[in-house]
Amino acid sequence: MRRPWRAVLIPVAFGTLLSTQGSALADPLGGGSRRAAATAGATWTNLAPNPAQTSTVTRSAPGGENPPAGVQPQGGGTGWNIKWWDEFNGTSVDWGTKWRGNSSSLADNGRGNKDNQQLEYNLDRNCQEKDGAVTITAKRENHTSPSGTRYGRTSCLLTSTGSSGYTFKHAFIESRAKLTHNVKDSNGKPVSDKRGFWPAFWTWQADGVDSWQETDAYEQYSDNPRKLHLTSHAGSGGGCQPTLGFDPGEGFHTYGADISPSGTRFYIDGKLVCTVAGTPSENTNIIEDMYVYSRPGLEPNPATVSAQKSVDYVRVWQR
């Protein structure tokens, strides 16, 4: 998903799996190529429209920073031990302890990456924790980074590489989130054209690891909000692009990935939707983001001033 020196989106038709490893793939929309680690050995399940999958998701009860006792990952079975989490039930993000706001996956001090089709510079102040969730706001505002690079958008990212952050090779990661929503114009009115945003929940190689170890539990390109990209860019790789039976910006849903030594299984609302062979060989950390996408024709509507992604919790289990 994100290589600081070269990375572009490869739009793939629904249900199609990429089948090359370590090679340059032509970008169907033009404008470059990227290394793709994927395999034809993946299996996937289409999330066809189903009222049972659009049930209301309730946020964590405020007043506690611990997950419910004995909680297990949705769809992952039993026998898991929770190792790291953030319930976001406080009044401010745990910067410097659980989270850091810059990542080695990005250039420009780990906060901006124009070469990766991103318009935003990520600022900690754009992540606000309250009412049992953390909300990331992407804004149309001018910002000049310490390097002197000028940006017309800002946003925020969270990566689990703080002083007490958690790194892992194999684990079940899960996030309950509401994806691109609250898209507004300068008058605070809703903008129906929601294109231009790129939220994701994913892993990236830990500090000091010098090899690509990425797993995307989900990526969303908001011009096509019901289609998610679930991908392993580690080992033999693999990926699926399910089309959901609901708009993930209309409510909270649960997104998980069981990253095991034998491969990676992707879950949405506890349902197994994709299995691939890829699995990391080195330690990784978690990233939650709300990037602003810059491909011509897919960038934000000129009327759009802001958009948000909200996260109820992030949890990590191991056996």
Side-chain angles (χ1 to χ4, degrees):
M1 174 180 162
R2 298 161 178 84
R3 299 283 285 182
W5 50 95
R6 60 170 186 175
V8 299
L9 165 67
I10 308 173
V12 182
F14 168 62
T16 301
L17 300 180
L18 305 179
S19 59
T20 58
Q21 296 186 36
S23 62
L25 284 179
D27 183 347
L29 294 183
S33 63
R34 69 170 285 172
R35 177 181 166 214
T39 178
T43 60
W44 58 275
T45 300
N46 177 21
L47 287 182
N50 183 341
Q53 295 171 352
T54 61
S55 57
T56 301
V57 178
T58 304
R59 296 183 182 184
S60 304
E65 283 300 315
N66 295 322
V71 66
Q72 298 287 286
Q74 290 193 22
T78 60
W80 294 95
N81 299 305
I82 194 157
K83 296 293 186 178
W84 191 88
W85 63 88
D86 198 332
E87 301 296 296
F88 300 116
N89 285 328
T91 57
S92 61
V93 175
D94 292 326
W95 296 117
T97 52
K98 288 189 174 181
W99 300 106
R100 196 170 75 193
N102 62 309
S103 169
S104 64
S105 64
L106 301 182
D108 204 357
N109 197 37
R111 292 181 179 270
N113 206 359
K114 289 189 172 183
D115 288 341
N116 195 43
Q117 304 175 116
Q118 293 173 235
L119 293 173
E120 89 293 333
Y121 190 78
N122 290 283
L123 300 171
D124 295 358
R125 60 177 169 81
N126 287 23
C127 284
Q128 297 293 319
E129 182 175 336
K130 64 179 181 178
D131 299 328
V134 63
T135 295
I136 304 173
T137 302
K139 303 176 181 179
R140 188 176 72 193
E141 63 176 345
N142 294 323
H143 184 84
T144 301
S145 72
S147 70
T149 303
R150 296 181 179 181
Y151 296 82
R153 300 269 177 169
T154 64
S155 189
C156 179
L157 70 83
L158 298 148
T159 181
S160 64
T161 49
S163 60
S164 61
Y166 184 65
T167 62
F168 57 91
K169 184 185 299 182
H170 301 118
F172 197 118
I173 65 172
E174 184 178 283
S175 173
R176 180 181 288 169
K178 184 177 182 180
L179 309 191
T180 306
H181 70 99
N182 207 21
V183 182
K184 292 185 176 181
D185 64 15
S186 59
N187 296 314
K189 295 182 178 180
V191 177
S192 58
D193 179 357
K194 298 180 180 180
R195 72 181 188 271
F197 299 97
W198 186 7
F201 172 51
W202 55 298
T203 69
W204 180 256
Q205 57 257 29
D207 289 353
V209 175
D210 191 24
S211 59
W212 194 9
Q213 302 290 330
E214 179 181 347
T215 302
D216 302 323
Y218 72 76
E219 298 176 86
Q220 181 202 48
Y221 298 92
S222 62
D223 62 291
N224 190 0
R226 292 178 181 240
K227 182 177 180 179
L228 298 187
H229 298 249
L230 322 175
T231 314
S232 171
H233 295 285
S236 53
C240 305
Q241 299 85 40
T243 296
L244 308 180
F246 56 87
D247 183 342
E250 292 182 351
F252 284 82
H253 293 267
T254 304
Y255 306 92
D258 180 358
I259 306 168
S260 75
S262 61
T264 302
R265 299 171 180 84
F266 298 91
Y267 294 82
I268 299 177
D269 287 338
K271 181 177 181 179
L272 177 64
V273 297
C274 181
T275 302
V276 302
T279 188
S281 59
E282 302 288 345
N283 280 351
T284 63
N285 52 250
I286 285 172
I287 299 177
E288 291 269 14
D289 70 50
M290 179 64 168
Y291 293 162
V292 185
Y293 194 50
S294 69
R295 282 300 293 273
L298 299 179
E299 66 274 88
N301 184 320
T304 299
V305 168
S306 64
Q308 295 180 322
K309 164 186 164 178
S310 298
V311 181
D312 177 13
Y313 66 72
V314 175
R315 298 170 183 165
V316 183
W317 294 263
Q318 291 181 312
R319 281 183 166 137

